[in-house]
Amino acid sequence: QVQLVESGGGMVQPGGSLRLSCAASGFSLNYYGIGWFRQASGKQREGVASISSTNDGSTYYAASVKGRFTISRDNAKNTVYLQMNSLKPEDTGVYVCATRFPAHGTSLLSSEHDLWGVGTQVTVSS
């Protein structure tokens, strides 16, 4: 079965860290770009981080997370990660990963992504 499964969400205090995982099954992530998106309650979904295919390896971040979040991939585990540091209450939301093909460059546009996971909840609160 072709699918993406996110994990690693939870509740954390402001300033804390979480690492999200996006694991693929039924296909190889090597040739796909991957985007991480988030959606807070009552707000539109926004792209936060993007990584291109393995051959390229470029990354791109939304201004709101640049310097705090890091996207990376482990081809051996067929998984993409989102390391989130210095978390803020405004980072709260459901985080979802999605694939993009062709995978040239990077993109934070939802319309350019096709296969989506179901998401993992991240709550940043004291």
Side-chain angles (χ1 to χ4, degrees), residues 60-85:
Y60 184 78
Y61 301 91
S64 58
V65 307
K66 193 172 184 179
R68 300 187 297 122
F69 289 12
T70 303
I71 188 171
S72 62
R73 63 196 310 154
D74 185 334
N75 293 332
K77 295 183 178 180
N78 210 25
T79 300
V80 172
Y81 302 98
L82 184 67
Q83 177 67 43
M84 306 187 297
N85 299 328

Tab-separated table of all heavy atoms in Angstrom, residues 60-85:
chain	number	residue	atom	x	y	z
A	60	TYR	N	14.317	24.375	1.527
A	60	TYR	CA	13.733	25.715	1.569
A	60	TYR	C	12.782	25.768	2.753
A	60	TYR	O	12.108	24.778	3.061
A	60	TYR	CB	12.971	26.008	0.281
A	60	TYR	CG	12.424	27.411	0.211
A	60	TYR	CD1	13.243	28.483	-0.108
A	60	TYR	CD2	11.082	27.670	0.482
A	60	TYR	CE1	12.749	29.771	-0.155
A	60	TYR	CE2	10.577	28.959	0.439
A	60	TYR	CZ	11.418	30.005	0.121
A	60	TYR	OH	10.928	31.288	0.080
A	61	TYR	N	12.732	26.942	3.411
A	61	TYR	CA	11.911	27.086	4.613
A	61	TYR	C	11.049	28.342	4.538
A	61	TYR	O	11.457	29.360	3.972
A	61	TYR	CB	12.802	27.156	5.856
A	61	TYR	CG	13.682	25.951	6.048
A	61	TYR	CD1	14.962	25.905	5.523
A	61	TYR	CD2	13.211	24.837	6.744
A	61	TYR	CE1	15.765	24.785	5.684
A	61	TYR	CE2	14.009	23.717	6.913
A	61	TYR	CZ	15.282	23.696	6.379
A	61	TYR	OH	16.070	22.585	6.538
A	62	ALA	N	9.907	28.235	5.159
A	62	ALA	CA	9.094	29.432	5.330
A	62	ALA	C	9.826	30.381	6.271
A	62	ALA	O	10.563	29.937	7.161
A	62	ALA	CB	7.734	29.063	5.911
A	63	ALA	N	9.615	31.662	6.083
A	63	ALA	CA	10.298	32.659	6.905
A	63	ALA	C	10.014	32.470	8.390
A	63	ALA	O	10.855	32.732	9.240
A	63	ALA	CB	9.882	34.058	6.457
A	64	SER	N	8.809	31.994	8.695
A	64	SER	CA	8.396	31.840	10.090
A	64	SER	C	9.154	30.755	10.833
A	64	SER	O	9.157	30.739	12.069
A	64	SER	CB	6.888	31.554	10.160
A	64	SER	OG	6.577	30.380	9.425
A	65	VAL	N	9.805	29.835	10.108
A	65	VAL	CA	10.501	28.731	10.763
A	65	VAL	C	11.980	28.686	10.442
A	65	VAL	O	12.720	27.890	11.023
A	65	VAL	CB	9.858	27.368	10.410
A	65	VAL	CG1	8.364	27.396	10.692
A	65	VAL	CG2	10.134	26.961	8.974
A	66	LYS	N	12.423	29.513	9.525
A	66	LYS	CA	13.826	29.478	9.100
A	66	LYS	C	14.746	29.749	10.282
A	66	LYS	O	14.524	30.674	11.052
A	66	LYS	CB	14.065	30.506	7.999
A	66	LYS	CG	15.399	30.343	7.285
A	66	LYS	CD	15.496	31.266	6.085
A	66	LYS	CE	16.789	31.028	5.326
A	66	LYS	NZ	16.893	31.916	4.140
A	67	GLY	N	15.757	28.897	10.408
A	67	GLY	CA	16.693	29.009	11.517
A	67	GLY	C	16.290	28.180	12.723
A	67	GLY	O	17.091	27.987	13.635
A	68	ARG	N	15.044	27.714	12.742
A	68	ARG	CA	14.568	26.895	13.855
A	68	ARG	C	14.247	25.468	13.433
A	68	ARG	O	14.396	24.539	14.226
A	68	ARG	CB	13.311	27.527	14.473
A	68	ARG	CG	13.513	28.927	15.013
A	68	ARG	CD	12.263	29.405	15.764
A	68	ARG	NE	11.087	29.509	14.894
A	68	ARG	CZ	9.959	28.850	15.119
A	68	ARG	NH1	9.834	28.046	16.161
A	68	ARG	NH2	8.921	29.016	14.293
A	69	PHE	N	13.776	25.284	12.207
A	69	PHE	CA	13.402	23.963	11.699
A	69	PHE	C	14.447	23.486	10.694
A	69	PHE	O	15.013	24.287	9.938
A	69	PHE	CB	12.045	24.016	11.002
A	69	PHE	CG	10.858	24.215	11.907
A	69	PHE	CD1	11.000	24.589	13.231
A	69	PHE	CD2	9.570	24.033	11.411
A	69	PHE	CE1	9.895	24.772	14.058
A	69	PHE	CE2	8.464	24.212	12.214
A	69	PHE	CZ	8.624	24.596	13.532
A	70	THR	N	14.644	22.175	10.648
A	70	THR	CA	15.549	21.567	9.679
A	70	THR	C	14.892	20.345	9.074
A	70	THR	O	14.461	19.444	9.809
A	70	THR	CB	16.881	21.163	10.327
A	70	THR	OG1	17.488	22.310	10.933
A	70	THR	CG2	17.831	20.581	9.288
A	71	ILE	N	14.827	20.304	7.752
A	71	ILE	CA	14.282	19.142	7.050
A	71	ILE	C	15.447	18.313	6.527
A	71	ILE	O	16.450	18.860	6.060
A	71	ILE	CB	13.336	19.575	5.912
A	71	ILE	CG1	12.617	18.374	5.305
A	71	ILE	CG2	14.070	20.385	4.843
A	71	ILE	CD1	11.493	18.759	4.318
A	72	SER	N	15.326	16.990	6.633
A	72	SER	CA	16.388	16.103	6.168
A	72	SER	C	15.771	14.776	5.749
A	72	SER	O	14.607	14.509	6.026
A	72	SER	CB	17.428	15.876	7.275
A	72	SER	OG	16.834	15.235	8.392
A	73	ARG	N	16.574	13.958	5.076
A	73	ARG	CA	16.059	12.662	4.646
A	73	ARG	C	17.068	11.580	4.943
A	73	ARG	O	18.272	11.821	4.896
A	73	ARG	CB	15.670	12.704	3.180
A	73	ARG	CG	16.801	12.969	2.201
A	73	ARG	CD	16.265	13.389	0.816
A	73	ARG	NE	15.250	12.490	0.326
A	73	ARG	CZ	14.301	12.834	-0.537
A	73	ARG	NH1	14.228	14.069	-0.972
A	73	ARG	NH2	13.413	11.961	-0.948
A	74	ASP	N	16.574	10.383	5.230
A	74	ASP	CA	17.378	9.184	5.429
A	74	ASP	C	16.876	8.159	4.421
A	74	ASP	O	15.851	7.517	4.645
A	74	ASP	CB	17.231	8.682	6.863
A	74	ASP	CG	18.150	7.495	7.166
A	74	ASP	OD1	18.503	6.764	6.217
A	74	ASP	OD2	18.488	7.305	8.343
A	75	ASN	N	17.604	8.009	3.337
A	75	ASN	CA	17.152	7.121	2.270
A	75	ASN	C	17.121	5.665	2.723
A	75	ASN	O	16.254	4.899	2.290
A	75	ASN	CB	18.039	7.275	1.046
A	75	ASN	CG	17.899	8.643	0.415
A	75	ASN	OD1	16.854	9.274	0.516
A	75	ASN	ND2	18.952	9.115	-0.234
A	76	ALA	N	18.039	5.273	3.565
A	76	ALA	CA	18.074	3.890	4.038
A	76	ALA	C	16.796	3.539	4.799
A	76	ALA	O	16.336	2.403	4.780
A	76	ALA	CB	19.292	3.661	4.905
A	77	LYS	N	16.234	4.544	5.492
A	77	LYS	CA	15.006	4.312	6.263
A	77	LYS	C	13.767	4.767	5.493
A	77	LYS	O	12.653	4.667	6.018
A	77	LYS	CB	15.094	5.041	7.599
A	77	LYS	CG	16.192	4.491	8.509
A	77	LYS	CD	16.190	5.186	9.859
A	77	LYS	CE	17.253	4.599	10.770
A	77	LYS	NZ	17.293	5.237	12.105
A	78	ASN	N	13.967	5.293	4.288
A	78	ASN	CA	12.847	5.760	3.470
A	78	ASN	C	11.986	6.764	4.249
A	78	ASN	O	10.748	6.698	4.225
A	78	ASN	CB	11.988	4.578	2.993
A	78	ASN	CG	11.324	4.841	1.657
A	78	ASN	OD1	11.796	5.645	0.851
A	78	ASN	ND2	10.222	4.152	1.395
A	79	THR	N	12.666	7.665	4.907
A	79	THR	CA	12.003	8.591	5.833
A	79	THR	C	12.567	10.000	5.677
A	79	THR	O	13.762	10.174	5.425
A	79	THR	CB	12.205	8.115	7.286
A	79	THR	OG1	11.628	6.808	7.435
A	79	THR	CG2	11.560	9.059	8.281
A	80	VAL	N	11.684	10.969	5.826
A	80	VAL	CA	12.072	12.376	5.879
A	80	VAL	C	11.742	12.897	7.266
A	80	VAL	O	10.706	12.540	7.830
A	80	VAL	CB	11.349	13.187	4.788
A	80	VAL	CG1	11.594	14.672	4.954
A	80	VAL	CG2	11.819	12.747	3.410
A	81	TYR	N	12.611	13.747	7.781
A	81	TYR	CA	12.443	14.267	9.133
A	81	TYR	C	12.244	15.780	9.118
A	81	TYR	O	12.679	16.467	8.200
A	81	TYR	CB	13.670	13.947	9.987
A	81	TYR	CG	13.969	12.473	10.090
A	81	TYR	CD1	14.929	11.882	9.277
A	81	TYR	CD2	13.276	11.668	10.990
A	81	TYR	CE1	15.208	10.528	9.370
A	81	TYR	CE2	13.545	10.320	11.086
A	81	TYR	CZ	14.515	9.751	10.272
A	81	TYR	OH	14.769	8.413	10.369
A	82	LEU	N	11.613	16.261	10.161
A	82	LEU	CA	11.538	17.697	10.404
A	82	LEU	C	11.940	17.923	11.856
A	82	LEU	O	11.183	17.592	12.775
A	82	LEU	CB	10.125	18.239	10.151
A	82	LEU	CG	9.989	19.757	10.287
A	82	LEU	CD1	10.767	20.459	9.162
A	82	LEU	CD2	8.522	20.187	10.251
A	83	GLN	N	13.153	18.431	12.046
A	83	GLN	CA	13.629	18.773	13.384
A	83	GLN	C	13.153	20.180	13.705
A	83	GLN	O	13.445	21.120	12.965
A	83	GLN	CB	15.154	18.707	13.445
A	83	GLN	CG	15.746	19.110	14.784
A	83	GLN	CD	15.407	18.134	15.889
A	83	GLN	OE1	15.470	16.921	15.703
A	83	GLN	NE2	15.035	18.651	17.066
A	84	MET	N	12.434	20.305	14.804
A	84	MET	CA	11.853	21.588	15.182
A	84	MET	C	12.418	22.011	16.528
A	84	MET	O	12.209	21.320	17.532
A	84	MET	CB	10.329	21.482	15.251
A	84	MET	CG	9.692	20.931	13.986
A	84	MET	SD	7.890	20.990	14.008
A	84	MET	CE	7.538	19.897	15.365
A	85	ASN	N	13.133	23.099	16.531
A	85	ASN	CA	13.745	23.642	17.755
A	85	ASN	C	13.143	25.002	18.082
A	85	ASN	O	12.503	25.634	17.240
A	85	ASN	CB	15.252	23.776	17.577
A	85	ASN	CG	15.936	22.446	17.313
A	85	ASN	OD1	15.508	21.399	17.800
A	85	ASN	ND2	16.995	22.476	16.524
